[in-house]
Amino acid sequence: MLNTPWDTGSPLYRKLVVSALILTGVGILLAVAGAMLQADQLVFAAIPIIVAGLAAHLSGLVVRGRDARRRHRPPSGR
């Protein structure tokens, strides 16, 4: 069996990854819809949503790194 980040990740990591995917996807859809409708307000409103998705993704990377360090840390007391 492969040890993928999804398999070994904590519930917080999984929530952050799903949130990042949803936020980024919604932001991209809004930006594309705004471009097709030539509605600049919709395109500019999509930018903070995409940024929030990227921030959630970066937070997930931090949580994943923290979890990996905890997993590979030697047991205390030795």
Side-chain angles (χ1 to χ4, degrees):
M1 181 173 129
L2 297 174
N3 284 333
T4 64
W6 188 259
D7 292 336
T8 59
S10 65
L12 176 61
Y13 169 73
R14 292 177 186 173
K15 289 176 187 174
L16 286 170
V17 168
V18 171
S19 300
L21 287 171
I22 291 170
L23 285 170
T24 305
V26 167
I28 290 171
L29 288 175
L30 285 175
V32 169
M36 289 177 62
L37 297 172
Q38 296 180 353
D40 290 340
Q41 298 86 0
L42 191 58
V43 173
F44 289 124
I47 293 172
I49 297 171
I50 295 171
V51 170
L54 292 175
H57 176 71
L58 290 175
S59 300
L61 290 175
V62 170
V63 168
R64 180 177 162 200
R66 182 196 67 186
D67 292 344
R69 280 193 304 276
R70 285 183 182 171
R71 248 191 334 272
H72 296 297
R73 183 178 299 152
S76 58
R78 289 188 191 221

